[in-house]
Amino acid sequence: MGKIISLANQKGGVGKTTTAINLAASLASLGKKVLLVDADPQANASSGLGVDVRSLEFTIYECLIDNVPSVQAIHPTAVDNLFILPSHIDLVGAEIEMLNMENRERVMENLLLPLKSSYDYLLIDCSPSLGLITVNALTAADSVIIPVQCEYFALEGISKLLNTIKIIKSKLNPALEIEGFLLTMYDNRLRLANQVYAEVKKHFQGMVFESVITRNVRLSEAPSHGKPVLLYDSESKGSTNYMDLAKELIAKNESVD
């Protein structure tokens, strides 16, 4: 049975989509069958894996709003074992259209549950907001990865997200766990980055991944080529970081099974 993991942080620019793409690709390259669910209207995870969203007949929008079967919207990618359920700018309007739906917080859960048996990992790239689509993603998920940028305002906003997770646990998804906090854009030469790292470790202790994502130019360049960094430059620091994270995630989950 697969595991659904949401990547969430309502603060933008923390490396959420970069993590979704590259963690998914690394897990797939380690032999896991992975579905990346792009739940962000910006559709950056889709374009970052080489999908031309303008040419698609079906996306996650049609699955959520028009009950199109998800198998009709899922596409293979250039990475073996990695598939994507792409997004579209139309998703912006989905939140309003879902307001009058019955069980509106569970639409994504109903969409993804039948897919769990077909994949080892289903990663949901959430939008940088705490709107209804993100609530849907957290309700559907078994756990959540929270990327935290090693910057001054990093810890600001985490309390809001943790509060949302607490509400979702109490009202919609009691089984939701925090998979871990992931430190991104880390530069060990900067004192501030080291302070943020120490602060996050102090606050969240064992909930912080050992793997840290360092600042890396190749990692920033890869999406513009429609590739995960693994295919763009497999020797780069960014590629190694995400491979370490994928191994850590597998070790953590498969020792529990």
Side-chain angles (χ1 to χ4, degrees):
M1 201 60 164
K3 182 168 195 179
I4 301 177
I5 304 175
S6 283
L7 289 100
N9 190 332
Q10 79 277 14
K11 191 174 182 301
V14 297
K16 191 160 47 329
T17 300
T18 301
T19 296
I21 293 170
N22 292 296
L23 175 57
S26 300
L27 287 166
S29 76
L30 292 167
K32 302 297 171 189
K33 194 175 177 192
V34 183
L35 177 66
L36 177 53
V37 179
D38 190 350
D40 184 347
Q42 294 175 83
N44 291 339
S46 305
S47 59
L49 282 173
V51 176
D52 179 5
V53 291
R54 293 164 305 183
S55 66
L56 298 174
E57 187 181 357
F58 299 122
T59 65
I60 190 171
Y61 171 81
E62 286 77 18
C63 297
L64 292 171
I65 303 301
D66 303 326
N67 289 323
V68 167
S70 52
V71 285
Q72 292 187 30
I74 291 171
H75 292 264
T77 68
V79 180
D80 285 346
N81 291 327
L82 176 56
F83 299 82
I84 183 157
L85 178 53
S87 185
H88 192 273
I89 190 68
D90 288 351
L91 198 60
V92 167
E95 301 212 339
I96 295 161
E97 294 177 69
M98 288 163 75
L99 283 177
N100 297 322
M101 286 184 180
E102 204 178 328
N103 275 339
R104 61 188 181 194
E105 298 90 358
R106 298 194 181 275
V107 184
M108 197 179 296
E109 181 183 25
N110 296 332
L111 173 71
L112 296 181
L113 277 181
L115 299 172
K116 274 183 95 167
S117 55
S118 305
Y119 297 92
D120 297 307
Y121 291 95
L122 299 90
L123 303 184
I124 309 175
D125 183 31
C126 298
S127 65
S129 77
L130 292 177
L132 185 55
I133 299 278
T134 300
V135 168
N136 260 265
L138 293 171
T139 303
D142 297 303
S143 65
V144 54
I145 289 176
I146 302 170
V148 181
Q149 189 182 2
C150 290
E151 300 267 326
Y152 181 64
F153 291 115
L155 295 172
E156 208 177 77
I158 286 187
S159 58
K160 200 182 260 184
L161 175 62
L162 292 177
N163 198 39
T164 302
I165 290 170
K166 197 167 143 191
I167 293 166
I168 285 168
K169 269 183 80 106
S170 68
K171 293 193 163 47
L172 295 162
N173 182 4
L176 182 64
E177 298 289 337
I178 292 175
E179 190 72 44
F181 292 85
L182 174 69
L183 289 151
T184 62
M185 303 180 199
Y186 177 67
D187 184 342
N188 63 0
R189 297 166 305 178
L190 300 176
R191 197 170 81 196
L192 178 63
N194 289 307
Q195 282 172 343
V196 172
Y197 179 83
E199 192 77 4
V200 173
K201 276 284 210 191
K202 190 177 91 182
H203 268 284
F204 303 111
Q205 297 166 352
M207 292 163 81
V208 183
F209 283 106
E210 290 298 325
S211 310
V212 173
I213 311 303
T214 49
R215 280 197 180 275
N216 179 250
V217 176
R218 309 302 269 172
L219 204 49
S220 313
E221 291 171 351
S224 62
H225 296 267
K227 293 177 178 178
V229 72
L230 189 69
L231 294 184
Y232 181 62
D233 183 353
S234 62
E235 301 296 306
S236 68
K237 191 81 176 118
S239 183
T240 310
N241 288 164
Y242 278 110
M243 195 57 86
D244 288 345
L245 176 65
K247 287 174 184 167
E248 187 178 345
L249 187 68
I250 290 169
K252 183 179 172 188
N253 281 289
E254 303 192 2
S255 60
V256 173
D257 294 349

